[in-house]
Amino acid sequence: MSDLDPPDDLEPVSAEDGARRYPSTIGGAFYLVVVAITAIGFVIVTTGAWRQGIRWIAGALLFAAVVRAVLPARDAGMLAVRRRWWDCFLLAGVGIALILLAGSIPDQPL
């Protein structure tokens, strides 16, 4: 069984059944936290403090990489897109790149 195969004991739930409307895994809850932190980062960027906002977004991606590394595939929820090592590599790589870019871009006169 690969990381992406769902367990045999889980049945798909359609939205028409009026089923649960909350994350079904702990990874789904962490995914919502990552989305919320990213949204906060975008709000900070729009207020003018773009470096700080980019750091918030990068922090959310680094947090997602750590959570994806720790959680088993069946609990990762929407954080599991590919194999675990690949997800962690991409999330951490983009997070680190954003931090480095935000710190290395010189201030521009308005």
Side-chain angles (χ1 to χ4, degrees):
M1 178 181 265
S2 74
D3 284 344
L4 300 178
D5 293 335
D8 294 332
D9 60 341
L10 293 179
E11 294 179 17
V13 178
S14 70
E16 298 169 358
D17 294 337
R20 61 182 174 243
R21 298 184 63 105
Y22 53 88
S24 61
T25 63
I26 189 70
F30 280 120
Y31 178 79
L32 293 176
V33 169
V34 169
V35 169
I37 294 171
T38 303
I40 291 170
F42 278 117
V43 168
I44 294 171
V45 166
T46 59
T47 63
W50 67 271
R51 288 181 202 269
Q52 188 64 29
I54 294 297
R55 288 186 184 113
W56 274 75
I57 295 168
L61 293 173
L62 292 173
F63 175 71
V66 170
V67 170
R68 177 67 177 109
V70 172
L71 290 178
R74 63 180 165 77
D75 292 336
M78 291 182 67
L79 292 174
V81 178
R82 297 163 204 87
R83 295 196 181 274
R84 181 190 317 246
W85 67 270
W86 191 240
D87 285 338
C88 294
F89 174 76
L90 289 176
L91 288 166
V94 172
I96 290 169
L98 285 174
I99 290 172
L100 293 175
L101 285 171
S104 65
I105 296 174
D107 289 330
Q108 300 292 320
L110 295 176

